[in-house]
Amino acid sequence: MLASSSLLARTDAKLSTRALADTVGFAHRAWQMDSVMARIRSLDRDDLVRARQPAGTAWRAAICPHDDYTYASWLYPAVLRNIKAKTVIIFGVAHKAWRYNLENRLVFDSFSLWRSPYGAVKVSPLRDEMIKRLPADMAVVHDPMQSEEYSVEAMIPFLQYQNRDVEIISILVPFMDFERMQTVSRHLAKALFAVMKKNDLRWGSDVAILISSDAVHYGDEAWGGHNFAYFGTDSRANALAEAYDREIISTCFESKLTGNKIAKFYAYTTDSDDFKESRWSWCGRYAIPLGLLTALDLQWLEKSAPLTGVPIAYATSISQPHLKVDDLGMGETAIATERHWVGYPAVGFR
């Protein structure tokens, strides 16, 4: 395909299955996922969730957290319940892009299937059609990067729980400056628009855009030597950090989506002098703007109704009781304390 080495992309015609990267934080067996969903339902958050999602809502795009199920728990189905499409294009974070010197281009995989609790999930054939329509310098097929990245994997069990026939396309977004994002998103939207038109597919009912991202990574403990305690580490500082996250969500994602709002999100989260550095540590500081720019470009190509953002919920890994999962053979991949916590955005775009 677009990769320069057979080590990166598979060249045989046999079906290949992407293995699991995280069997601790996420469910990897059907009975685990059934139990997780039963326990989430027992939390009785439906009144909050339904109030912001009228009956019949089908997101054209959405932002969902990807942390351990014990921490993010109910926020997953709060967003994903209204992903109605069979084909879900998932924009994920490329956490270890530096390891492969990946930047300024989209990262695809060449797998045919992805392992998941209820059986392998198919990769949509639309993926290869889209890749063929993209300029060669804007995308790469890189199975090693896709194999170790967990941000896309986190979504799949919830999507498969509600639709056993769901198909996915995984696109990881590594380091990328905003001007480059605008160029890449236009080409990606054109490719997606052409493929949808060719296959008579409707946005929202047949194809949806899903963006995987946690919000701020906060604190000064166990962040690999980084200090993300922007306001300090006491309870007042944590409250200020939560308030800043909520400001970002309301400023950038609520109501009519615009290019200016997407640019503001990038400016909030990315260092203006070095696009590889964060200003405010959202891990999806590349995936979110690239995914939303693609959605906005697709809206213009379709001449469809303006995308309207609906902030559904926000929580953190220390703001709510943790879902019990230890008896399911699951657990935590990181600590959750006042000096090490993560924020969770749940946003839909109709």
Side-chain angles (χ1 to χ4, degrees):
M1 295 233 252
L2 297 178
S4 59
S5 167
S6 60
L7 294 175
L8 305 183
R10 300 172 189 277
T11 56
D12 58 65
K14 295 180 181 178
L15 294 180
S16 55
T17 302
R18 190 265 194 191
L20 297 172
D22 183 347
T23 58
V24 176
F26 309 146
H28 58 283
R29 299 184 185 280
W31 63 268
Q32 289 175 318
M33 195 61 204
D34 290 342
S35 297
V36 165
M37 286 301 297
R39 293 174 187 187
I40 288 174
R41 282 194 294 271
S42 73
L43 297 176
D44 194 25
R45 299 276 182 159
D46 268 4
D47 287 346
L48 169 64
V49 172
R50 291 186 189 280
R52 293 178 174 267
Q53 303 181 71
T57 298
W59 303 133
R60 287 184 284 171
I63 301 170
C64 183
H66 58 235
D67 205 356
D68 297 341
Y69 291 179
T70 186
Y71 294 150
S73 65
W74 65 277
L75 285 98
Y76 280 99
V79 181
L80 300 180
R81 68 195 303 166
N82 284 326
I83 294 286
K84 307 293 189 183
K86 178 181 179 180
T87 300
V88 184
I89 302 170
I90 308 175
F91 288 88
V93 177
H95 284 97
K96 299 295 177 65
W98 53 268
R99 182 178 294 169
Y100 301 104
N101 296 313
L102 291 168
E103 61 182 72
N104 282 322
R105 53 184 174 168
L106 304 173
V107 181
F108 290 84
D109 68 284
S110 68
F111 297 109
S112 306
L113 306 164
W114 281 48
R115 185 180 165 190
S116 199
Y118 302 101
V121 169
K122 291 181 181 178
V123 173
S124 170
L126 302 182
R127 177 195 63 190
D128 295 346
E129 292 187 54
M130 290 168 59
I131 290 174
K132 289 176 183 177
R133 294 174 183 270
L134 289 172
D137 68 336
M138 293 187 183
V140 63
V141 176
H142 200 293
D143 286 349
M145 178 73 259
Q146 285 275 359
S147 294
E148 72 172 77
E149 176 53 52
Y150 59 85
S151 59
V152 170
E153 177 180 306
M155 311 288 111
I156 297 175
F158 287 97
L159 293 170
Q160 192 186 33
Y161 178 86
Q162 62 193 30
N163 179 6
R164 297 293 198 271
D165 296 324
V166 69
E167 297 182 357
I168 66 160
I169 297 172
S170 174
I171 305 176
L172 304 183
V173 188
F175 308 108
M176 196 175 298
D177 68 54
F178 194 72
E179 184 177 354
R180 176 67 170 176
M181 283 185 180
Q182 292 173 305
T183 301
V184 171
S185 70
R186 281 195 295 269
H187 283 277
L188 182 60
K190 287 178 182 177
L192 177 56
F193 177 70
V195 168
M196 288 172 62
K197 188 174 182 180
K198 174 187 172 184
N199 292 278
D200 193 26
L201 300 174
R202 300 290 180 268
W203 191 13
S205 56
D206 297 314
V207 177
I209 290 172
L210 176 60
I211 304 165
S212 174
S213 177
D214 291 329
V216 71
H217 294 46
Y218 198 84
D220 63 353
E221 180 181 30
W223 287 118
H226 295 286
N227 185 344
F228 298 132
Y230 303 100
F231 300 115
T233 57
D234 58 14
S235 58
R236 178 178 177 276
N238 288 340
L240 288 171
E242 283 193 39
Y244 196 63
D245 256 3
R246 292 178 185 273
E247 175 188 318
I248 292 173
I249 292 169
S250 63
T251 300
C252 303
F253 306 141
E254 192 163 13
S255 301
K256 181 181 177 180
L257 182 66
T258 66
N260 285 339
K261 287 184 176 181
I262 300 170
K264 282 182 181 179
F265 173 80
Y266 191 85
Y268 265 118
T269 58
T270 307
D271 191 311
S272 59
D273 296 322
D274 183 354
F275 70 89
K276 293 185 180 180
E277 297 296 329
S278 68
R279 181 182 177 196
W280 183 255
S281 49
W282 282 49
C283 57
R285 64 185 183 274
Y286 309 113
I288 288 175
L290 193 288
L292 292 182
L293 283 169
T294 302
L296 196 57
D297 289 332
L298 182 59
Q299 173 204 305
W300 291 336
L301 288 167
E302 283 198 341
K303 297 180 174 58
S304 55
L307 285 156
T308 302
V310 181
I312 302 163
Y314 174 86
T316 79
S317 56
I318 61 171
S319 69
Q320 57 187 354
H322 298 159
L323 194 73
K324 181 175 176 59
V325 298
D326 56 342
D327 60 326
L328 304 178
M330 299 168 60
E332 308 87 17
T333 59
I335 60 174
T337 70
E338 286 203 342
R339 295 177 60 188
H340 180 116
W341 57 269
V342 178
Y344 305 130
V347 184
F349 295 85
R350 56 179 179 230

